[in-house]
Amino acid sequence: MRFVLASYGGRGDVEPAVVVGRELQRRGHDVCMAVPPNLTGFAAAAGLSAVPYGLDSTPILRLQREYFTCYSRTPWRLRELSRMGRETEEFATACWAEMATALRSAAEGADVLLTGLIFEQPAADVAEALGLPLVTLHYFPCRPHGQLLPFVPAPLSRTVMRVNDRMVWRNTRAGENAIRRNLGLPDAQAPAPQRIAERGSLEIQAYEPVCFPELAAEWRRFGDRRPFVGALALVSPGGADAEAAEWIAAGAPPIFFGFGSVPIGSPADTVRMIASACARLGQRALIGAGGSDFTDVPSFDHVKVVGEVNYAEIFPSCRAVVHHGGAGTLAACLRAGVPQFVLWTLPDQPFFAAQLRRLKVGTGHRFSTITERSLVAGLRRILDPGHRERARALAAQVSDPAAAAAAAADLVECAARVQPAR
């Protein structure tokens, strides 16, 4: 069978689809990845063929970080926020047009079209135009549900999420409808999430159910269309594994700091803050560079900066992990049984932090407003022995990466065999 897997965003956004693609290819299927031009090399390194999908994702990721930083620090700067909002909409319009063109060509003759979470609208439109079964792959529970935040009543949570979907659609429907007309489709009459659900599409939930324990029961009315498989992650060696392991072995277990693929504002200032906070607590710090340039930063004896590492190999040797709140990193921490401190920027990340608090295995803070004092306070909290004990106990409830990949691939294969095109 032939599968086309389209995914947009940074590496962490694209990785779940790459995991599924590798498993499908291992089973002998023809797999084509559609990813941002800046990540075709990432897909190729995983052994998959890939076509450019939309525009380079680096500018929009940076713009989103700047927008939410401004929103959290200086929400009264309405003109600046409005400007960035317009830039985001303009980028989306241009990107979606490129995506629809590339995907229509790539998906001809496919048995199934799969889309990741970010910018799922063009993929949904192409699947509709070509009469293909559509599968969505979610690393966060983005459809309306009642567990968004523990302290928000369930009906209010669902209402807020539906309103948000409609507001996003109102801001982008002109651009999407232009794409739909080019595909020979009528204008959309509802937001894409609603249309996808009404079409009966398979919506795979690729995150840890333990973070949202009552969600499966809440979505039972959808039958088997929203199955949970667990987080999908590449478990492969990193270029800095040996260097990191050697440094860890030379002293007490460190605290790992990682910030994902979106570049942070000032790596030098961040390293100084981490070094000072850890010195106050008598801790060592291991910093994963991720998407940021840590070349010209101050050096400290108790701080080590490394490149790409295998989280499954490194995290179990750490006392705790401080990270950006991405679903993949969060799941790697849960599997390793280590407490977590989420320094969040993007909208989905604080909700994961809230679930860690509920589980009493972690905490969170907005990255743009973190200070040495608040970093020390958060680290003290997660370094409490109770957090470590609960994290170790919870690890037994977390999915195995290989099992999660196999389950997702099984579902996609099934969609190709039994789901009728609509």
Side-chain angles (χ1 to χ4, degrees), residues 11 236-248 256-261 271 285-295 297 303-315 318 329:
R11 171 175 168 159
S236 55
D241 287 348
E243 180 185 6
E246 182 180 0
W247 189 82
I248 290 172
F256 184 92
F257 292 80
F259 302 99
S261 57
V271 169
L286 180 63
I287 301 176
S292 301
D293 183 4
F294 283 86
T295 303
V297 298
V303 177
K304 175 72 172 177
V305 178
V306 295
E308 183 180 349
V309 296
N310 178 4
Y311 290 168
E313 182 73 22
I314 298 301
F315 283 2
C318 297
T329 308

Side-chain angles (χ1 to χ4, degrees), residues 102-168:
L103 198 54
R104 181 168 191 172
S105 175
E108 288 284 354
D111 293 286
V112 166
L113 175 58
L114 179 146
T115 179
L117 178 56
I118 297 179
F119 290 175
E120 62 185 357
Q121 295 90 334
D125 294 335
V126 169
E128 183 180 345
L130 297 180
L132 296 176
L134 177 72
V135 175
T136 62
L137 189 62
H138 297 166
Y139 51 80
F140 177 78
C142 60
R143 300 306 190 226
H145 62 86
Q147 299 185 60
L148 189 63
L149 286 172
F151 53 82
V152 175
L156 178 59
S157 173
R158 286 188 285 269
T159 298
V160 168
M161 295 184 77
R162 290 191 186 97
V163 169
N164 181 71
D165 284 345
R166 190 156 290 273
M167 288 177 63
V168 171

Side-chain angles (χ1 to χ4, degrees), residues 255-262 264 274 286-292 294 311 315 320-326 329 341-343 367:
I255 300 170
F256 184 92
F257 292 80
F259 302 99
S261 57
V262 181
I264 61 177
I274 290 172
L286 180 63
I287 301 176
S292 301
F294 283 86
Y311 290 168
F315 283 2
V321 175
V322 181
H323 63 95
H324 62 299
T329 308
F341 188 176
V342 172
L343 295 182
F367 183 47

Side-chain angles (χ1 to χ4, degrees), residues 2 4 34 51 53 96-110 113 122-123 125-127 129-130 132 179-185:
R2 183 166 184 269
V4 176
V51 297
Y53 183 53
W96 288 4
E98 294 279 348
M99 293 166 86
T101 299
L103 198 54
R104 181 168 191 172
S105 175
E108 288 284 354
L113 175 58
D125 294 335
V126 169
L130 297 180
L132 296 176
I179 293 171
R180 289 178 63 84
R181 293 185 201 112
N182 287 336
L183 292 170
L185 297 172

